[in-house]
C-alpha cells in the first residue's frame, strides 16, 4: 500500500510537474510567512515585518535551491531534463525549418519508398506461399526436346492419361494433383448471371495443397476420376457470401454453371483461391470434360505435387526424369518422332515470370540507391550543421556544460529528427502499399504473364511487421550514427578552437569540408547511375509506345461474352450474335459494332496449323503454325486495320457458301513470298473445315496480338458465320466517350439473354495501356528516384561550394584587396566543387555501366550502354552542377575586402 | 544562532539522519512543514538547528519512498498548509532506523569512553 503511495507520488510528479512545482512553492511561501510572523511576534515589536522576513529567509536557506532540491528528490529530474532537451531540440528545429524539412523529407522519402517496395518484393518473391510446408510443393511439367522446326520447351502442361501414368508409377510424392483454369458463367442462388474464374481439378489437388473446406467436404475419389458421376462443385467463401448469404445449409443446393446444374458439396475458405489465382468454383475434370480422361495428347492441365516425407527435391527430380522417359515410351508423339520427358522444380520458382522478377529487383535496386543518396544527404546536412554549431557548443562547454550532457542534448535532437523522418516514412509506405493493393493485377498484368501464383502473391502485399521494424531501425540508425559522430566531434572542440572565431581555419574544419565533399561525390555518382537507368527506361518506353500496334484503340469499348458451352448454343450462336450486333448498332452513340474472338495485345491468342492446298502435302509436323482469329464483317474497318488486297468478309460469307479466309500481311509474306495469295485454297485448323476448302479472299495489315514488343506473327481470319464460336469480344466504336456506352451495352446484353453476362468490359485504350503497364511502372518509379537523386546531388554540390566560399571568405577578401581578379577568385571558390563533381561523375559512369546491364532484358530496342543516354546524363549533371555553383560564386565574386575583413 | 554554526551543524546532519528525525517527529502526529521545523528545533534545544529549507527536499524524498503522505488542509490561522502523516511503512522504517541508531550510538559511546 505504502509502496503504491510512493509510486503514485512519483507518477504525479511526472504527469503534472507544474502542479507539483507550484505545491512546493506554495508550501515554502507558507513556511516563510509563518516564520516571519512568529519572529515578529516573539520580538514583541523590536523586529520590523521586513526584518522578520529577512531573518526567516536566512534561517530557511536559498528557497529556489531548496525548491529545485525538493523536485529532484522525486527522481523526475532525469525525465524532466529529457523533456527540456526535447523542447530545446524542437525550438532549434523551429528556428531552422529548411534544414529540418530537408532531413525529415529525405528520411521519409528514402525509407518510405524502400519500405513500400520491399513490401511488394516480400509478397511477390520472398514470403512463403500460403500453403502448409510450401517448400515441399513441387511443380512438375512435361518437356520436349528441340528440333529444327520447334525449339525445346520445358514445363509444358499435362494430359490426363500422361498424368495418371506418372501418378500410378511414382513413389517420391505423397500426393499429386492436376488443375486447369476454367472460367465459367454462374447462375442461381441470389444474384444475376456472373462470369467467374474457376478450376477443373483432378488427382488429389486439394490434399496436395493441404487445404480443407470450411463447410462441407472435398470431392470423393469416385467423383474425381470416374466418368458419369453427377456434377458437383466446391465454391469459394466469396461466392458463398455473395450468392448464398453465407448460409451453412448451402450443401446439397444447386448452382447453375454454364447452363448445367451442379450440386454444392463444399465451401473453400477465402484464404484459398486456387493456384490459378482467383478461382470461385472448383469442379472435377471427370464430370466436366469426360473426354479428357482418355485424350493422351490433349495437354491442358498443370500438375502440382508434394514431396513424400524424407524425399529430397533432387531425388524427386531424378525420379521424375526417369518416369518422363517411361511415359514417353508408352505414349509416343503421334506423327513424328519427338522426344518428350518430364521435369520438376520447386513450386516457388514458378510464382512470377522472370521479367516481372527482374523488374521488381531493378526497382528495389534503384530504391536502395536512392536511399543511399538520401542517407548521404542527411549525413551531409547534419555534418554541416554540426560545424555551424561548433561555436555555440564550445561556448556552452566554456560556460560549464558537461560533455555527456551536451552529447545527450545533440542525440536527443538526432533522435527527434529520426522519429519525425520515421513517421513520414511510415505514412509514405502505407500510402504506397495502399496504391499497390488498389491495383488489380489479374486485369492489368495479364499481358505480362503474371501467373496464378503471381496473382496470389500480389494480393498479399501489405506492410508487414518485418518491413516496419527494418524501416524503423534504419531511421534510428541513421539518426544515431549521423547524430552521434558529429556530436562527439563537436564536443571535443576545445574552448580555444571554438571561440577563436567563426572563420578560423582549424584542421577539423577542413576535415568537415572533405567529409561533405566525399558525401557529395557519392551523391553525384548515385544520381548518374539512377539518371542513366531512368533515361534508358524512358527511351525504351518511348520506343514501345511508338510501336504501331496495327489497329486504332481510340473511342472503342470492348466486352467479352461467352455463350453457355453446350453444342446447341454454339449452333445457335449465329442468331445470337446477329441479334446482339443489330441491337448494338441501334444503340445511341454507337457508330459501328463488330465481333472478334480475341482482342489485340491480349498476350497471345489461339494458334493452329494450316494446310496449303496449292502445293504438295507435307507431314502434319511440318505444317505451318499460325494465329487463328474469328471476326464478323466490318471488324477490320471498326479497328482501322487496313484491307491491303482483296476484300473484307461480307454478309454473304455464311454457312453453306464457299469458306472465305483473310490473312495478315506477315502470313502473305511468309507463305506466298512474291506471289499473290488471293484465291489460294487452304484448310485452317480449329475452323471446323473438315474436308472443305477455303479460299483466301483478302490480305489485311498486321496486328500485334501478343504484346507491343513482340513482332506480329502470321495470322489467319475466319468469319464467325462460317465457323461458329461460343466466345466473342464485342467491339463498339463511338464518336464520343466510349465509357458512356458501358451501361447501355451491358443492358443490351442482359436483355437479349439474362443468363449470359458481359464481362471484362473495358475500353480498348485501357487494354492497350495494360500492354505498357509493366514498362511504365518501372520507368516511372525509377525516374522518380532519379529526379530525387539529381536534386540531392545538386544540393550537395551547392553545399560544398557554398561552405568553401564561407570558409575562405577572409582569404578571398585579402586576395581581392591584393588585386586578384574576379575570375581568379571564382576559380578559387569553385575548385573544391569541381573536384567533387569530377570524382563523382567518373565513379558514377563506371557504376552506371555496370548497373544498367541489369536492365538489359527489360529494355525494348535500346542497348543498355546506349551512348545517347550516357551523354545526355552527363550533360544533365553538368547543368545541375553549374546551377548549384551560381549563387555561391556570385557571393565570392562580390566579396568586398573591407566588409569581409571587418567581420573578423 | 550564527550562520556558521548552522552550517557546522548541517554538515553533521546527513540526509538520512534528518529523515529519521522527521519520521520520529511525525510519529507524534500529523503536522505541517513549519511545525516540523519548530518541533525539531525545540526538542533538540537548537543544537540540531538545520537549515530549515532542507526539510522540504527531505519531505519530498520521504513521500517518494511512501513513508509519508501529505494533504492540503486549512491551518488554524485560516491559511492552506500541507499536512504530513507518517504511513505504516514509515513507522516500520522508523523502527529499523532507531534500532540501527541505538546500535551505532552505543558503539560510538563505547569507543569514546575507552582508554
Amino acid at each position: 500500500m505504502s509502496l503504491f503511495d510512493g509510486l503514485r507520488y512519483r507518477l504525479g510528479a511526472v504527469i503534472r510537474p507544474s502542479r507539483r512545482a507550484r505545491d512546493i512553492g506554495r508550501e515554502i511561501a507558507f513556511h516563510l510567512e509563518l516564520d516571519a510572523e512568529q519572529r515578529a511576534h516573539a520580538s514583541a515589536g523590536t523586529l520590523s515585518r521586513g526584518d522578520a522576513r529577512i531573518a526567516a529567509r536566512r534561517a530557511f536557506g536559498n528557497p529556489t535551491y531548496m525548491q529545485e532540491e525538493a523536485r529532484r528528490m522525486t527522481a523526475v529530474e532525469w525525465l524532466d531534463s529529457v523533456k527540456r532537451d526535447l523542447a530545446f531540440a524542437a525550438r532549434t528545429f523551429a528556428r531552422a525549418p529548411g534544414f529540418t524539412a530537408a532531413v525529415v523529407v529525405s528520411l521519409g522519402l528514402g525509407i518510405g519508398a524502400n519500405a513500400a517496395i520491399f513490401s511488394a518484393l516480400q509478397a511477390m518473391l520472398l514470403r512463403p506461399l500460403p500453403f502448409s510446408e510450401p517448400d515441399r510443393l513441387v511443380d512438375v511439367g512435361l518437356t520436349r526436346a528441340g528440333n529444327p522446326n520447334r525449339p525445346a520447351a520445358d514445363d509444358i502442361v499435362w494430359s490426363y492419361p500422361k498424368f495418371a501414368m506418372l501418378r500410378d508409377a511414382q513413389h517420391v510424392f505423397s500426393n499429386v494433383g492436376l488443375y486447369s483454369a476454367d472460367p465459367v458463367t454462374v447462375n442461381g442462388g441470389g444474384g444475376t448471371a456472373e462470369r467467374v474464374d474457376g478450376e477443373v481439378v483432378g488427382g488429389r489437388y486439394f490434399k496436395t495443397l493441404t487445404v480443407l473446406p470450411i463447410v462441407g467436404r472435398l470431392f470423393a475419389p469416385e467423383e474425381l476420376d470416374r466418368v458419369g458421376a453427377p456434377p458437383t462443385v466446391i465454391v469459394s467463401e466469396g461466392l458463398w457470401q455473395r450468392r448464398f448469404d453465407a448460409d451453412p445449409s448451402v450443401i446439397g443446393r444447386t448452382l447453375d454453371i454454364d447452363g448445367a446444374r451442379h450440386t454444392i458439396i463444399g465451401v473453400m475458405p477465402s484464404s484459398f483461391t486456387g493456384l490459378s489465382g482467383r478461382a470461385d468454383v472448383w469442379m472435377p475434370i471427370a464430370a466436366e470434360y469426360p473426354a479428357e480422361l482418355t485424350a493422351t495428347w490433349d495437354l491442358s492441365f498443370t500438375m502440382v505435387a508434394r514431396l513424400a516425407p524424407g524425399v529430397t527435391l533432387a531425388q524427386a527430380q531424378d525420379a521424375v526424369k526417369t518416369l518422363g522417359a517411361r511415359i514417353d515410351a508408352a505414349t509416343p508423339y503421334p506423327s513424328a518422332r519427338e522426344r518428350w520427358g518430364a521435369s520438376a522444380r520447386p513450386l516457388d520458382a514458378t510464382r512470377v515470370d522472370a521479367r516481372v522478377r527482374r523488374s521488381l529487383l531493378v526497382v528495389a535496386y534503384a530504391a536502395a540507391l536512392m536511399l543511399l543518396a538520401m542517407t548521404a544527404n542527411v549525413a551531409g546536412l547534419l555534418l554541416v550543421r554540426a560545424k555551424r554549431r561548433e561555436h555555440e557548443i564550445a561556448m556552452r562547454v566554456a560556460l560549464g556544460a558537461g560533455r555527456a550532457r551536451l552529447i545527450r542534448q545533440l542525440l536527443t535532437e538526432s533522435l527527434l529528427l529520426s522519429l519525425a523522418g520515421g513517421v513520414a516514412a511510415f505514412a509514405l509506405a502505407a500510402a504506397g502499399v495502399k496504391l499497390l493493393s488498389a491495383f488489380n493485377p489479374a486485369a492489368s498484368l495479364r499481358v505480362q504473364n503474371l501467373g496464378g501464383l503471381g496473382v496470389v502473391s500480389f494480393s498479399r502485399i501489405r506492410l508487414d511487421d518485418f518491413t516496419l521494424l527494418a524501416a524503423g531501425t534504419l531511421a534510428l540508425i541513421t539518426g544515431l550514427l549521423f547524430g552521434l559522430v558529429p556530436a562527439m566531434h563537436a564536443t571535443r572542440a576545445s574552448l580555444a578552437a571554438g571561440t577563436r572565431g567563426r572563420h578560423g581555419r582549424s584542421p577539423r574544419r577542413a576535415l568537415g569540408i572533405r567529409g561533405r565533399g566525399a558525401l557529395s561525390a557519392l551523391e553525384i555518382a548515385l544520381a548518374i547511375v539512377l539518371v542513366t537507368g531512368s533515361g534508358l527506361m524512358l527511351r525504351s518506353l518511348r520506343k514501345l509506345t511508338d510501336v504501331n500496334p496495327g489497329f486504332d484503340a481510340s473511342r472503342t469499348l470492348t466486352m467479352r461474352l461467352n455463350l453457355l458451352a453446350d453444342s446447341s448454343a454454339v449452333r445457335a450462336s449465329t442468331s445470337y450474335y446477329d441479334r446482339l450486333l443489330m441491337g448494338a448498332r441501334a444503340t445511341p452513340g454507337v457508330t459501328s459494332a463488330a465481333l472478334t474472338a480475341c482482342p489485340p495485345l491480349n498476350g497471345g491468342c489461339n494458334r493452329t496449323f494450316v494446310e496449303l492446298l496449292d502445293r504438295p502435302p507435307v507431314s502434319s509436323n511440318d505444317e505451318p503454325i499460325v494465329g487463328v482469329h474469328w471476326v464478323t464483317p466490318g471488324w477490320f474497318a471498326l479497328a482501322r486495320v487496313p484491307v491491303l488486297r482483296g476484300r473484307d468478309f461480307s454478309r454473304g460469307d455464311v454457312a453453306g457458301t464457299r469458306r472465305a479466309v483473310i490473312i495478315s500481311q506477315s502470313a502473305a509474306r511468309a507463305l506466298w513470298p512474291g506471289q499473290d495469295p488471293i484465291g489460294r485454297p487452304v484448310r485452317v485448323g480449329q475452323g471446323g473445315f473438315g474436308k472443305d476448302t477455303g479460299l483466301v479472299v483478302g490480305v489485311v495489315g498486321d496486328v500485334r496480338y501478343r504484346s507491343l514488343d513482340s513482332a506480329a506473327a502470321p495470322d489467319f481470319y475466319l468469319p464467325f458465320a462460317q465457323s461458329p464460336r461460343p466466345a466473342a469480344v464485342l467491339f463498339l466504336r463511338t464518336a464520343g466517350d466510349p465509357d458512356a456506352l458501358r451501361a447501355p451495352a451491358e443492358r443490351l446484353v442482359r436483355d437479349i439473354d439474362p443468363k449470359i453476362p458481359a464481362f471484362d468490359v473495358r475500353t480498348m485504350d485501357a487494354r492497350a495501356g495494360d500492354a505498357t503497364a509493366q514498362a511504365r511502372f518501372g520507368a516511372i518509379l525509377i525516374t522518380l528516384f532519379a529526379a530525387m537523386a539529381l536534386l540531392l546531388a545538386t544540393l550537395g554540390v551547392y553545399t560544398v561550394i557554398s561552405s568553401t566560399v564561407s570558409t575562405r571568405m577572409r582569404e578571398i577578401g585579402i586576395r581581392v584587396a591584393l588585386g586578384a581578379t574576379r575570375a581568379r577568385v571564382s576559380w578559387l571558390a569553385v575548385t573544391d566543387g569541381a573536384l567533387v563533381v569530377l570524382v563523382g561523375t567518373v565513379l558514377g559512369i563506371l557504376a552506371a555501366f555496370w548497373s544498367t546491364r541489369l536492365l538489359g532484358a527489360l529494355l525494348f530496342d535500346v542497348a543498355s550502354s546506349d551512348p545517347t543516354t550516357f551523354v545526355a546524363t552527363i550533360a544533365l549533371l553538368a547543368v545541375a552542377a553549374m546551377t548549384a555553383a551560381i549563387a555561391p560564386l556570385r557571393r565570392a565574386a562580390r566579396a568586398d575586402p573591407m566588409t569581409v575583413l571587418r567581420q573578423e | 544562532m550564527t550562520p556558521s554554526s548552522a552550517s557546522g551543524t548541517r554538515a553533521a546532519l546527513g540526509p538520512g539522519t534528518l529523515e529519521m528525525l522527521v519520521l520520529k517527529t511525525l510519529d507524534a502526529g500529523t503536522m505541517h512543514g513549519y511545525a516540523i521545523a519548530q518541533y525539531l528545533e525545540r526538542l533538540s534545544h537548537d543544537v540540531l538547528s538545520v537549515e530549515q529549507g532542507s526539510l522540504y527536499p527531505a519531505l519530498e524524498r520521504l513521500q517518494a519512498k511512501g513513508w509519508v503522505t501529505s494533504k492540503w488542509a486549512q491551518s488554524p490561522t485560516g491559511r492552506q498548509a500541507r499536512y504530513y502523516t507518517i504511513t505504516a511503512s514509515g513507522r516500520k522504517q522508523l523502527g529499523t532506523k532507531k534500532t540501527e541508531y541505538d546500535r551505532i550510538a552505543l558503539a560510538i559511546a563505547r569507543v569514546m569512553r575507552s582508554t
Side-chain angles (χ1 to χ4, degrees):
Chain A
M1 264 232 321
S2 311
L3 182 72
F4 289 117
D5 286 338
L7 271 179
R8 203 171 53 221
Y9 194 76
R10 280 167 198 254
L11 212 61
V14 177
I15 297 168
R16 314 187 59 174
S18 55
R19 181 176 167 178
R20 179 62 47 88
R22 206 170 55 234
D23 274 0
I24 297 169
R26 264 173 75 194
E27 199 177 7
I28 290 173
F30 169 78
H31 181 117
L32 289 173
E33 221 169 297
L34 208 58
D35 197 28
E37 265 171 38
Q38 292 284 332
R39 281 170 201 272
H41 185 72
S43 70
T46 56
L47 212 59
S48 76
R49 285 191 71 85
D51 289 344
R53 211 166 276 154
I54 289 165
R57 271 293 289 275
R58 191 174 297 138
F60 191 86
N62 181 348
T64 314
Y65 173 75
M66 290 305 172
Q67 195 169 340
E68 288 289 310
E69 278 294 296
R71 290 184 62 196
R72 215 161 62 83
M73 284 310 126
T74 37
V76 295
E77 191 233 17
W78 183 81
L79 263 171
D80 217 39
S81 72
V82 167
K83 259 176 74 179
R84 262 204 309 276
D85 278 357
L86 281 175
F88 181 79
R91 274 202 308 278
T92 323
F93 294 144
R95 245 183 288 126
F99 161 81
T100 312
V103 172
V104 171
V105 169
S106 293
L107 284 176
L109 285 175
I111 295 172
N114 272 276
I117 283 158
F118 186 72
S119 297
L121 214 61
Q122 174 94 331
M124 299 295 284
L125 305 180
L126 302 175
R127 204 181 311 143
L129 291 168
F131 306 108
S132 82
E133 295 189 72
D135 53 323
R136 304 291 291 167
L137 289 172
V138 170
D139 166 89
V140 186
L142 288 173
T143 60
R144 189 190 62 217
N147 66 29
N149 292 328
R150 291 207 274 184
D154 62 357
D155 211 4
I156 301 171
V157 289
W158 293 75
S159 68
Y160 195 91
K162 281 177 178 277
F163 158 75
M165 289 174 74
L166 183 125
R167 175 191 62 193
D168 298 339
Q170 63 84 18
H171 298 286
V172 289
F173 302 121
S174 56
N175 278 309
V176 289
L178 268 195
Y179 76 95
S180 178
D182 187 33
V184 293
T185 301
V186 170
N187 279 288
T192 54
E194 186 184 5
R195 188 73 184 173
V196 300
D197 287 330
E199 285 177 354
V200 285
V201 301
R204 294 178 167 184
Y205 176 68
F206 297 109
K207 291 213 167 108
T208 305
L209 298 174
T210 59
V211 287
L212 287 171
I214 48 172
V215 179
R217 59 174 177 89
L218 295 176
F219 296 117
E222 64 272 15
E223 285 166 331
L224 276 171
D225 296 320
R226 194 181 307 155
V227 177
T232 49
V233 62
I234 293 175
V235 301
S236 71
E237 190 174 353
L239 186 133
W240 179 50
Q241 284 167 352
R242 277 202 306 279
R243 302 189 83 92
F244 295 98
D245 270 337
D247 179 0
S249 68
V250 73
I251 305 303
R253 289 174 67 181
T254 59
L255 188 66
D256 180 321
I257 294 173
D258 280 347
R261 289 159 67 92
H262 287 63
T263 306
I264 298 171
I265 63 155
V267 178
M268 275 292 156
S270 58
S271 56
F272 181 71
T273 51
L275 291 182
S276 63
R278 308 209 313 156
D280 263 325
V281 292
W282 291 268
M283 298 146 294
I285 296 169
E288 300 303 309
Y289 303 102
E292 293 289 342
L293 296 196
T294 50
T296 312
W297 284 99
D298 226 339
L299 307 178
S300 22
F301 305 104
T302 310
M303 189 193 303
V304 60
R306 182 175 287 275
L307 293 174
V311 175
T312 65
L313 178 66
Q315 286 167 344
Q317 282 170 326
D318 282 348
V320 164
K321 203 172 162 195
T322 315
L323 287 169
R326 271 166 59 188
I327 293 168
D328 190 38
T331 58
Y333 191 64
S335 49
R337 187 64 207 133
E338 257 188 28
R339 290 172 60 83
W340 286 63
S343 68
R345 64 206 59 74
L347 184 65
D348 198 66
T350 65
R351 68 158 114 179
V352 281
D353 149 79
R355 259 176 84 115
V356 174
R357 180 183 297 261
R358 172 59 67 92
S359 47
L360 275 170
L361 289 177
V362 163
V363 168
Y365 176 68
L369 289 187
M370 190 203 55
L371 178 65
L372 199 58
M374 289 286 186
T375 313
N377 184 51
V378 170
L381 283 169
L382 289 173
L383 202 62
V384 167
R385 185 175 161 78
K387 287 282 132 199
R388 290 226 182 99
R389 292 180 69 184
E390 230 169 39
H391 186 75
E392 171 206 333
I393 288 165
M395 192 59 87
R396 286 166 66 186
V397 170
L399 291 177
R403 184 163 177 234
R405 187 74 187 71
L406 266 176
I407 289 180
R408 207 177 85 194
Q409 166 68 47
L410 292 173
L411 268 187
T412 307
E413 288 180 18
S414 314
L415 287 178
L416 192 65
L417 273 183
S418 308
L419 189 72
V423 169
F426 175 75
L428 187 82
V433 166
K434 206 168 163 201
L435 206 70
L436 276 176
S437 6
F439 199 65
N440 179 359
S444 304
L445 293 181
R446 180 170 17 229
V447 255
Q448 275 79 36
N449 301 324
L450 188 73
L453 284 174
V455 174
V456 170
S457 302
F458 197 97
S459 64
R460 295 162 68 230
I461 294 181
R462 60 188 155 81
L463 269 188
D464 56 271
D465 304 344
F466 178 77
T467 312
L468 285 181
L469 195 71
T473 313
L474 208 58
L476 206 66
I477 288 176
T478 316
L480 274 182
L481 196 65
F482 298 115
L484 189 59
V485 174
M488 304 282 283
H489 198 71
T491 49
R492 220 183 301 132
S494 68
L495 181 63
T499 48
R500 195 190 295 141
R502 282 181 180 280
H503 303 292
R505 256 204 113 182
S506 70
R508 252 198 308 282
R509 201 171 283 274
L511 187 81
I513 286 183
R514 224 175 297 143
R516 187 68 190 95
L519 288 171
S520 174
L522 176 66
E523 286 172 47
I524 289 173
L526 292 169
I528 286 183
V529 174
L530 284 171
V531 169
T532 316
S534 140
L536 290 172
M537 297 284 272
L538 286 175
R539 266 175 77 84
S540 164
L541 181 64
R542 177 72 188 276
K543 292 211 165 172
L544 201 59
T545 51
D546 278 353
V547 165
N548 175 10
F551 66 96
D552 174 13
S554 66
R555 299 186 189 284
T556 308
L557 186 70
T558 66
M559 60 188 70
R560 287 176 189 268
L561 300 149
N562 265 64
L563 304 188
L564 303 179
D566 61 72
S567 51
S568 63
V570 174
R571 274 197 304 277
S573 65
T574 319
S575 74
Y576 174 86
Y577 291 146
D578 281 346
R579 270 190 294 160
L580 179 68
L581 287 177
M582 218 156 18
R585 290 186 186 118
T587 304
V590 173
T591 54
S592 56
L595 297 172
T596 182
C598 175
L601 300 175
N602 190 50
C605 298
N606 278 17
R607 284 155 62 74
T608 189
F609 65 90
V610 17
E611 291 175 62
L612 307 175
L613 301 172
D614 59 341
R615 59 190 77 170
V618 294
S619 88
S620 65
N621 209 36
D622 291 333
E623 278 161 356
I625 303 288
V626 299
V628 58
H629 304 269
W630 291 262
V631 294
T632 57
W635 185 79
F636 295 114
L638 188 156
R640 310 252 198 275
V641 176
V643 178
L644 303 171
R645 294 183 54 78
R647 63 170 177 94
D648 183 11
F649 297 124
S650 73
R651 300 190 62 81
D653 297 320
V654 292
T657 66
R658 167 73 82 175
R659 288 177 181 270
V661 175
I662 290 175
I663 62 172
S664 71
Q665 199 174 7
S666 292
R669 280 204 199 112
L671 303 176
W672 290 279
Q675 293 168 289
D676 185 358
I678 303 293
R680 305 275 176 177
V682 294
R683 207 170 274 155
V684 185
Q686 297 185 21
F689 275 50
K691 291 290 159 204
D692 291 358
T693 303
L695 292 183
V696 176
V697 299
V699 178
V700 294
D702 281 334
V703 173
R704 300 211 171 192
Y705 280 102
R706 209 177 147 66
S707 59
L708 282 174
D709 57 357
S710 42
D715 284 309
F716 274 56
Y717 294 89
L718 307 174
F720 269 102
Q722 288 179 332
S723 309
R725 298 289 293 176
V729 187
L730 174 63
F731 272 60
L732 300 174
R733 183 171 279 278
T734 174
D737 175 13
D739 267 315
L741 293 180
R742 194 179 286 262
E746 278 172 334
R747 198 162 46 236
L748 171 74
V749 172
R750 210 166 37 240
D751 286 350
I752 294 177
D753 185 344
K755 286 195 145 190
I756 299 175
F759 61 98
D760 197 16
V761 185
R762 280 192 294 159
T763 65
M764 194 58 222
D765 269 331
R767 285 182 193 281
D770 292 346
T772 55
Q774 192 188 327
R776 252 183 311 148
F777 173 74
I780 289 173
L781 279 181
I782 291 177
T783 304
L784 274 178
F785 296 155
M788 288 180 210
L790 188 65
L791 185 70
L792 292 177
T794 313
L795 278 175
V797 174
Y798 167 80
T799 321
V800 167
I801 299 180
S802 179
S803 31
T804 316
V805 171
S806 302
T807 332
R808 302 180 76 173
M809 210 52 171
R810 183 188 161 94
E811 180 191 344
I812 290 169
I814 293 172
R815 282 176 191 257
V816 170
L818 293 178
T821 61
R822 297 286 178 203
R824 178 100 194 90
V825 165
S826 301
W827 175 242
L828 193 69
V830 91
T831 40
D832 280 357
L835 187 68
V836 162
V837 173
L838 192 71
V839 171
T841 307
V842 171
L843 283 177
I845 289 172
L846 290 177
F849 263 118
W850 182 82
S851 301
T852 51
R853 285 187 318 180
L854 281 177
L855 288 173
L858 296 179
L859 296 176
F860 170 67
D861 209 13
V862 179
S864 67
S865 58
D866 180 49
T868 321
T869 309
F870 274 81
V871 170
T873 302
I874 295 167
L876 191 62
L877 250 292
V879 170
M882 279 189 254
T883 316
I886 290 174
L889 274 188
R890 282 172 55 151
R891 195 144 57 87
R894 259 190 277 128
D896 173 17
M898 286 319 288
T899 325
V900 171
L901 294 175
R902 211 175 285 139
Q903 267 176 356
E904 289 300 307
Chain B
M1 179 185 69
T2 62
S4 69
S5 80
S7 78
T9 316
R10 198 178 350 135
L13 209 57
T17 316
L18 181 59
E19 276 175 33
M20 182 175 73
L21 294 178
V22 170
L23 282 177
K24 174 71 189 153
T25 310
L26 286 177
D27 199 25
T30 298
M31 54 184 87
H32 53 63
Y34 181 71
I36 297 173
Q38 294 296 307
Y39 187 93
L40 277 178
E41 269 187 37
R42 224 171 27 247
L43 276 195
S44 67
H45 302 284
D46 290 352
V47 174
L48 292 184
S49 145
V50 294
E51 199 175 53
Q52 291 182 1
S54 61
L55 190 61
Y56 292 95
L59 281 167
E60 286 293 311
R61 198 158 51 230
L62 287 170
Q63 288 187 89
K65 285 175 179 165
W67 294 337
V68 163
T69 58
S70 67
K71 211 189 312 179
W72 283 91
Q74 208 166 46
S75 71
T77 55
R79 276 176 292 214
Q80 285 292 315
R82 201 175 183 186
Y83 283 89
Y84 293 90
T85 311
I86 188 166
T87 65
S89 70
R91 288 220 166 76
K92 215 166 115 196
Q93 179 64 20
L94 179 62
T96 318
K97 284 264 181 192
K98 199 162 173 297
T99 318
E100 198 179 312
Y101 166 77
D102 286 346
R103 237 182 47 231
I104 290 170
L106 193 65
I108 291 172
R110 275 205 198 105
V111 172
M112 295 307 284
R113 284 190 198 129
S114 64
T115 330

